[in-house]
Amino acid sequence: MRELLSRFVAPYRVRLALGVSAKVVEVFFDLATPVIVARMIDQGVAAHDSSVVLRYALLLMGLAIVGYCFTLVCQKMAALVAQGVGTDLRDALYQKAMSLSAADVDRISTPSLVTRLTNDVNQIQVAIALGIRQLVRWPVLAVGSMVAALCIDVGLGLVFFVCIPVVGLVFWLVMSRSVPYFRVMQQRLDRVSLVCREALSGARVIRAFRRDDAERKRFREAAFAQADTAISVGRLSAVLNPSTLLIMNLGVVAILWASGHRVFEGELTQGQVIAFVNYMGQALLSVVFVANLVVVFTRGAASAQRVGEVLSCPVSLVSGSEELDADATDAAVPALELADVSFWYEGAREPAISGVSLSLGQGETLGIIGGTGSGKSTLANLVVRLYDAGAGTVRVFGHDVRTLSFGSLRRAVAIVPQQASLLSGTIRSNLSWRCPDADESALMEALEHAQAADFVLAKEGALDAPVEAGGKNFSGGQRQRLTIARALVGSPRLLILDDSASALDLATDARLREALGSLSGLSRIVISQRVSSVMGADEILVLDHGHVAGLGTHRELYSSCDLYREICLSQLSEGEVA
């Protein structure tokens, strides 16, 4: 936590210093109050001098007003520092999350990243705010109270040195058992976030399969597991306050018992005893608050460790330095080359892709087909470098993708993933992802090629029609066509369609393929479960559990590849295949 704070608190050190200084001044006034009360009792009340009482009362009022002003300054600075650090942390964490590769995100998990961005950063903010407002106050108040009490009477001060270690022992016993729970709490909160996210995103499927009760049970189990941990911590923490208050009250009793006869003999004044009791109360109450603060800081430290894990996570994919100008590339250079490419997911026993080699010329179409889990999408992800190949080389327009900058690679290569993803905003804002400066004519041209212009123009506002989160106000086929149009904006040289027309009817799919085929210079990779979508490709790659089962034209594969022939005949008649 120290390293994290030193990095993110540094820009706010002036405000931090102002807040701490204001709190120190406020504590000084608190330490002066018992002495003033003692003098009011000894010099005013004992002497029946109302003017002295009034004078000291006005002094106390003045100190309270000035202390209140310094308190406001401290609160203001604490809020500014805590909110500023929290905002910077979230921004840095979000930027880091966006720079992580797909493999890094898989390892950390999306729900855990969301929890770290929200709950963990909130815990750090609370720790910082309380640190400025309370961590300075209570330790300084405790030490100051002990020093002031010893100045009044050293003998009675021994009561402090008995009570403080006992309170410390209680504190150690409780915290040594509760600290391990805090990290478990955050991990179980990750689980709650995961279950909740899955239930909300898949609500329609859950209802369709009548899994409502099962999902409620799953969420209840995750929520109660987190609650049980929190309750266990709460039970341990609940011992702190009553124990320390009991010790404090016993200390007060000891002071009164020890000082009673000394007041009677004139060795101590009544005001000194009152001041000593006040200092005793301030010191032990400070220890109680420090104990509670340690609980907050322990949770904050656990959260800071989780945030630090993400911020310090090495990025497995680093952008190259070369720039790719696909328009200036020699036409004889293949748009895509795979040389003995293999890839393993982390923890997997078998490769998802094994020994794939092929070459796709510029302006040509490559079809990829195979069963579920055969590695089709994995291959597409390697081309746009969402993952790096474990072995072999992926080249785009003659360049190894690992040497290219992410910007130039993804300007030249556009991918339309299986899951059509739209963000809340407008149709225009979603279409402009690849090219923010694209004018209306370029957007409409992309919509026409994607067979989406008709329903977009039919909407009120056309390009400025609203898009709900996830594109929920569009059908599945409409979302797919919008994502295809988004990929076409900016004129990519290589387009990857990863089963992105699965929700389209056959007629619309055929028009889409015809429209894309009319785009000169555009190389295409079409991944599909439909034979009709790939059979017209210049070359077809057949994958079987990550291995190449066949590579060639439709006619070549139909006659030589048993798997391809089986797929064809499962979807089409022999006449249609021919």
Side-chain angles (χ1 to χ4, degrees):
M1 185 174 182
R2 188 182 300 111
E3 295 179 0
L4 199 68
L5 293 181
S6 63
R7 172 183 170 186
F8 287 94
V9 175
Y12 303 94
R13 54 181 173 268
V14 174
R15 291 174 178 173
L16 177 63
L18 285 174
V20 170
S21 301
K23 183 57 69 174
V24 170
V25 174
E26 178 198 338
V27 172
F28 174 77
F29 290 157
D30 288 340
L31 290 172
T33 299
V35 175
I36 296 173
V37 172
R39 291 185 178 181
M40 181 187 293
I41 293 172
D42 293 338
Q43 298 176 15
V45 177
H48 302 286
D49 188 344
S50 60
S51 63
V52 174
V53 174
L54 180 60
R55 186 167 63 250
Y56 281 121
L58 291 174
L59 178 59
L60 287 174
M61 187 180 297
L63 289 177
I65 294 173
V66 176
Y68 175 72
C69 294
F70 278 99
T71 301
L72 291 179
V73 172
C74 178
Q75 298 282 81
K76 177 74 172 180
M77 294 301 108
L80 290 175
V81 173
Q83 292 298 324
V85 171
T87 300
D88 293 345
L89 260 178
R90 285 194 183 90
D91 182 64
L93 199 56
Y94 184 79
Q95 295 298 331
K96 182 71 176 195
M98 291 295 100
S99 70
L100 296 176
S101 69
D104 297 329
V105 175
D106 292 342
R107 184 174 63 255
I108 299 172
S109 86
T110 300
S112 182
L113 284 172
V114 172
T115 303
R116 296 177 203 222
L117 267 164
T118 52
N119 184 271
D120 284 317
V121 173
N122 283 338
Q123 296 292 345
I124 296 171
Q125 281 184 268
V126 170
I128 292 172
L130 288 179
I132 297 172
R133 297 202 307 261
Q134 306 294 343
L135 187 59
V136 175
R137 172 182 173 81
W138 298 114
V140 172
L141 190 60
V143 174
S145 296
M146 285 189 284
V147 172
L150 290 173
C151 291
I152 294 175
D153 189 273
V154 176
L156 290 178
L158 295 176
V159 177
F160 277 96
F161 296 100
V162 174
C163 294
I164 297 298
V166 175
V167 171
L169 178 61
V170 173
F171 170 74
W172 179 81
L173 289 173
V174 172
M175 293 309 300
S176 63
R177 288 161 175 77
S178 60
V179 165
Y181 280 106
F182 292 122
R183 189 168 182 84
V184 176
M185 281 177 58
Q186 295 305 107
Q187 291 172 346
R188 291 188 171 177
L189 194 61
D190 287 347
R191 174 64 181 170
V192 173
S193 177
L194 169 64
V195 174
C196 186
R197 180 171 176 267
E198 289 179 341
L200 294 176
S201 61
R204 295 180 182 179
V205 177
I206 291 169
R207 290 170 184 169
F209 282 87
R210 302 180 64 187
R211 297 287 298 173
D212 307 59
D213 292 339
E215 287 303 307
R216 289 192 190 99
K217 180 181 178 182
R218 196 162 71 108
F219 179 80
R220 192 161 49 246
E221 289 173 351
F224 275 102
Q226 197 274 342
D228 288 342
T229 306
I231 290 170
S232 299
V233 175
R235 285 172 179 164
L236 288 169
S237 301
V239 177
L240 279 177
N241 286 356
S243 300
T244 50
L245 288 174
L246 175 63
I247 296 168
M248 182 183 73
N249 289 329
L250 291 175
V252 171
V253 170
I255 291 171
L256 294 175
W257 180 81
S259 63
H261 70 280
R262 297 180 65 186
V263 173
F264 182 76
E265 294 173 359
E267 295 179 14
L268 288 174
T269 66
Q270 294 175 349
Q272 287 176 318
V273 174
I274 295 298
F276 204 96
V277 170
N278 284 337
Y279 283 129
M280 177 75 176
Q282 284 183 344
L284 292 181
L285 192 62
S286 299
V287 175
V288 174
F289 274 96
V290 168
N292 290 329
L293 285 176
V294 171
V295 174
V296 174
F297 294 146
T298 304
R299 295 186 66 177
S303 293
Q305 183 180 357
R306 285 161 50 83
V307 171
E309 287 173 358
V310 177
L311 293 177
S312 62
C313 176
V315 179
S316 57
L317 291 184
V318 180
S319 178
S321 57
E322 293 184 21
E323 295 297 321
L324 170 64
D325 186 359
D327 294 324
T329 304
D330 186 349
V333 175
L336 173 67
E337 286 181 280
L338 303 179
D340 200 23
V341 172
S342 299
F343 176 78
W344 293 261
Y345 285 105
E346 185 174 349
R349 295 181 180 179
E350 299 293 332
I353 290 292
S354 179
V356 178
S357 298
L358 59 84
S359 178
L360 174 66
Q362 294 188 41
E364 294 182 351
T365 301
L366 170 69
I368 303 179
I369 196 168
T372 302
S374 59
K376 303 185 296 297
S377 295
T378 300
L379 194 61
N381 291 333
L382 295 179
V383 176
V384 291
R385 209 181 167 213
L386 296 179
Y387 297 92
D388 265 341
T393 306
V394 179
R395 290 189 181 88
V396 172
F397 296 100
H399 296 263
D400 188 329
V401 293
R402 286 171 289 197
T403 66
L404 294 172
S405 68
F406 287 142
S408 65
L409 172 62
R410 290 164 187 170
R411 278 193 298 272
V413 182
I415 184 170
V416 185
Q418 286 179 313
Q419 185 68 34
S421 177
L422 298 173
L423 296 185
S424 57
T426 64
I427 294 175
R428 186 190 303 274
S429 65
N430 275 273
L431 293 182
S432 302
W433 278 12
R434 296 190 74 252
C435 185
D437 299 329
D439 57 24
E440 187 162 333
S441 61
L443 299 182
M444 289 305 304
E445 182 180 356
L447 288 170
E448 288 171 0
H449 283 113
Q451 309 303 303
D454 53 348
F455 72 82
V456 169
L457 292 175
K459 285 188 171 289
E460 184 178 353
L463 287 171
D464 295 313
V467 176
E468 295 178 4
K472 298 299 184 184
N473 55 330
F474 293 93
S475 69
Q478 289 174 335
R479 286 198 297 270
Q480 285 189 336
R481 283 179 280 174
L482 286 175
T483 55
I484 293 171
R486 178 176 63 197
L488 292 174
V489 174
S491 302
R493 294 301 307 278
L494 175 61
L495 177 65
I496 304 173
L497 301 175
D498 185 5
D499 205 14
S500 53
S502 57
L504 303 185
D505 60 83
L506 294 177
T508 305
D509 186 21
R511 290 197 300 270
L512 173 64
R513 283 185 278 115
E514 182 181 357
L516 295 179
S518 67
L519 295 173
S520 61
L522 177 65
S523 307
R524 295 166 297 280
I525 299 176
V526 180
I527 301 172
S528 180
Q529 300 283 0
R530 292 178 179 174
V531 173
S532 60
S533 296
V534 300
M535 61 191 303
D538 298 290
E539 200 164 38
I540 302 171
L541 172 66
V542 184
L543 291 175
D544 183 23
H545 295 93
H547 298 274
V548 178
L551 179 65
T553 64
H554 168 69
R555 291 184 180 276
E556 292 170 348
L557 291 173
Y558 187 72
S559 61
S560 62
C561 179
D562 293 337
L563 176 59
Y564 184 73
R565 186 186 308 109
E566 180 182 340
I567 295 173
C568 288
L569 294 178
S570 68
Q571 299 180 20
L572 304 171
S573 65
E574 290 191 18
E576 290 172 320
V577 173

